Amino acid sequence: MLALSTPQRGAAKLLLPVILLSLSSSALVAAHEHEEEGIPEGEFISPDPLDNILWIHIFAMILSFGIIFPLGMVLGIVRSRWHVPVQVLGTLIAVMGWFLGHAHKGRQFAPNIHATFAPILMTMLAGQVGFGVYLKLHLERGMHGKIRPYVVKLHGVAGKIMPLVAWTQMLFGGITSLGFCHADHGIQCMAHFIMGSSFIVYGMIMVIILQVGQVWLKGTGRSQEFWDSLVITIWGCINTFTEHRWNEPWALNDIQHTSMGIVWLCAGLLGIWLSRDKNGNPKRNIVPGLVVFLTGYGMSAHAQELPLSTMVHQVFGYTLMAAGLARIIEIAIILRDKPELGEESSFQHLPPYLLFASGLIFMCANEEQLALVSSGGVDHVSYLLVLYSLAFLMYLFTMVLIGVFTSSTQPVKLPTAVATGNGHAGARVHDAEEFELEGLISDEEDDANKRQ
């Protein structure tokens, strides 16, 4: 029988209830089915309103998976002593929200993607809690010494995938609560959510590199525009050959989407070529910004059935055009084609924020949602101002997470060859070196590495 020390027994007693709750909640996923009585034929939700229990479920899941767990992930990266308490709190709230989601009355739902995807997320949560308990027990002798490094890696990778999986599940929850994205609306809905989320992720990557990723980028031997152009090329190739079914007649949307894919493919290839100078050194270029601008131009001209939808798509296109133009100004005028290691200019926050806003607007511009907004008598200005406000909050939370990371790292003295830029360079370069997200390892892992 395995003998545990007093600290190990204490950790086990503290975390065992949490893992049991997580495991029980994931085990109950397949056993539960919502009542489908009261759902009209041909519909996917009942006409009843959302009751208070379901609202608490929604807010609990947003709080845990959307705020607490990402914060805990960053705390784990910087090896903060608050990592475990924060993740335990998030787990307790998530488990509570899970049970509340299966105890609600009011609106009922037909079988849906939100319920189907839930086992994946809850199983990941249970696995993460299990990994955390194992690592907290400090089992390092015998076979544990061999499997422990793999558990550390797995715990870290799963922790970083969790926000993406949680984001997907929250989107599924939103469309399920409204009965959207079924039948003929599925493909259109999926396109809006995938592309909108892609713009938001692009904005996140842009601000992360701006804040803490410059030295990592330098270590790759490539400019940021190389990686941007590579992704643009791949995405353009996919769009060029998949937007039209080649055995069917061409429709207007097929022509528009395929032409957009051709632009991305051709421009991406040029961006890759221009990402190096004549000596083979990394070089900045404006091609990715120009692609974003042209994409916005194309989207602003998309004809829609509803006047509200037409206006929202136009503003989405204008926002995307502004993001591309701001990126061009940043590279060509603000930075003068040079990478920056010092304190960023305030203007440099404009391109990523506009990407956040454009992505959120496009996600909320699917035809069913805009039809609902139009039927409620909401004008496009009010609707768009709310979406811009949500983009401000999302950008704020991203900056808070980056701030937690940078405030937990200590500046180091740099070699002369690296210490360029202004007085902030030392701290920022160290931040960038640390920002490799190798694993959510705790203090005992660091101590084990030192002993080795």
Side-chain angles (χ1 to χ4, degrees):
M1 181 178 293
L2 180 64
L4 300 179
S5 64
T6 300
Q8 292 171 344
R9 289 195 296 270
K13 290 179 180 179
L14 175 64
L15 296 175
L16 187 57
V18 178
I19 189 172
L20 289 177
L21 281 173
S22 301
L23 290 172
S24 64
S25 63
S26 62
L28 288 172
V29 170
H32 176 83
E33 292 184 1
H34 287 295
E35 296 289 338
E36 297 182 29
E37 297 180 0
I39 300 178
E41 185 177 355
E43 300 293 332
F44 302 95
I45 59 174
S46 68
D48 307 295
L50 301 178
D51 68 347
N52 291 334
I53 293 178
L54 192 54
W55 277 114
I56 296 174
H57 159 77
I58 293 171
F59 286 119
M61 289 308 197
I62 292 175
L63 177 62
S64 58
F65 285 101
I67 298 177
I68 296 178
F69 284 143
L71 177 60
M73 179 193 70
V74 175
L75 292 173
I77 292 170
V78 299
R79 302 180 179 89
S80 170
R81 62 189 178 89
W82 291 103
H83 167 64
V84 173
V86 168
Q87 298 298 69
V88 169
L89 175 63
T91 301
L92 292 174
I93 295 176
V95 172
M96 178 198 70
W98 162 256
F99 283 110
L100 289 176
H102 291 79
H104 72 86
K105 302 298 181 182
R107 183 173 301 175
Q108 301 300 318
F109 308 93
N112 56 79
I113 186 64
H114 184 63
T116 303
F117 198 73
I120 299 176
L121 182 61
M122 297 307 292
T123 301
M124 286 185 63
L125 176 59
Q128 279 295 85
V129 175
F131 292 147
V133 171
Y134 176 81
L135 294 176
K136 205 64 180 175
L137 293 177
H138 302 270
L139 303 175
E140 300 177 356
R141 296 181 180 179
M143 60 175 286
H144 296 291
K146 297 180 180 179
I147 67 174
R148 188 177 180 84
Y150 296 102
V151 175
V152 171
K153 289 288 186 183
L154 193 58
H155 186 53
V157 171
K160 300 175 193 87
I161 294 176
M162 180 78 78
L164 180 61
V165 178
W167 171 260
T168 304
Q169 177 66 344
M170 285 188 283
L171 294 181
F172 288 157
I175 63 177
T176 297
S177 66
L178 297 171
F180 290 169
C181 303
H182 292 278
D184 295 338
H185 300 288
I187 299 299
Q188 179 265 155
C189 205
M190 183 171 62
H192 274 261
F193 284 119
I194 291 176
M195 179 170 283
S197 297
S198 299
F199 286 131
I200 294 175
V201 171
Y202 187 20
M204 286 183 178
I205 293 174
M206 191 178 292
V207 72
I208 288 173
I209 292 179
L210 170 66
Q211 293 282 308
V212 293
Q214 289 294 328
V215 169
W216 171 86
L217 191 63
K218 184 177 181 180
T220 66
R222 306 281 187 178
S223 67
Q224 184 176 350
E225 284 65 44
F226 169 83
W227 302 110
D228 292 350
S229 299
L230 180 62
V231 173
I232 288 171
T233 302
I234 295 173
W235 193 257
C237 184
I238 293 173
N239 274 20
T240 299
F241 297 104
T242 60
E243 289 294 338
H244 171 68
R245 297 181 181 179
W246 296 100
N247 59 340
E248 297 182 2
W250 283 84
L252 178 61
N253 284 344
D254 294 346
I255 298 174
Q256 290 175 332
H257 295 161
T258 301
S259 62
M260 189 65 66
I262 294 173
V263 169
W264 279 50
L265 174 60
C266 299
L269 293 173
L270 175 61
I272 293 175
W273 180 265
L274 295 178
S275 63
R276 285 190 177 277
D277 62 17
K278 60 182 180 181
N279 297 319
N281 299 316
K283 182 176 176 59
R284 309 296 299 267
N285 67 76
I286 63 170
V287 171
L290 186 57
V291 169
V292 173
F293 180 88
L294 292 175
T295 302
Y297 167 73
M299 291 295 179
S300 68
H302 266 210
Q304 306 293 322
E305 294 183 6
L306 293 174
L308 174 67
S309 182
T310 299
M311 294 303 301
V312 170
H313 277 79
Q314 282 182 354
V315 174
F316 160 67
Y318 296 154
T319 305
L320 204 56
M321 291 171 67
L325 181 60
R327 185 61 169 170
I328 292 173
I329 293 174
E330 176 192 355
I331 294 173
I333 299 177
I334 304 297
L335 299 179
R336 297 182 180 274
D337 292 345
K338 296 179 181 179
E340 181 178 293
L341 296 178
E343 188 71 15
E344 74 276 356
S345 165
S346 60
F347 185 86
Q348 291 181 275
H349 287 281
L350 183 58
Y353 166 73
L354 290 174
L355 286 172
F356 273 65
S358 60
L360 192 59
I361 292 172
F362 196 62
M363 289 173 59
C364 298
N366 66 81
E367 54 192 10
E368 291 177 290
Q369 184 163 342
L370 291 181
L372 178 63
V373 172
S374 180
S375 66
V378 179
D379 67 297
H380 74 280
V381 174
S382 301
Y383 185 61
L384 289 166
L385 288 178
V386 170
L387 296 180
Y388 279 119
S389 301
L390 292 176
F392 278 121
L393 290 178
M394 292 179 64
Y395 195 80
L396 170 63
F397 183 61
T398 303
M399 293 301 299
V400 168
L401 294 181
I402 295 175
V404 170
F405 173 82
T406 56
S407 65
S408 301
T409 56
Q410 298 297 324
V412 295
K413 186 176 181 179
L414 298 174
T416 303
V418 179
T420 60
N422 60 25
H424 298 275
R428 295 175 61 78
V429 168
H430 178 69
D431 293 344
E433 290 174 336
E434 288 292 321
F435 197 76
E436 295 182 0
L437 309 183
E438 283 296 324
L440 298 178
I441 65 177
S442 52
D443 293 336
E444 63 269 16
E445 304 305 320
D446 200 22
D447 296 338
N449 291 338
K450 291 180 180 178
R451 288 196 299 270
Q452 293 175 358

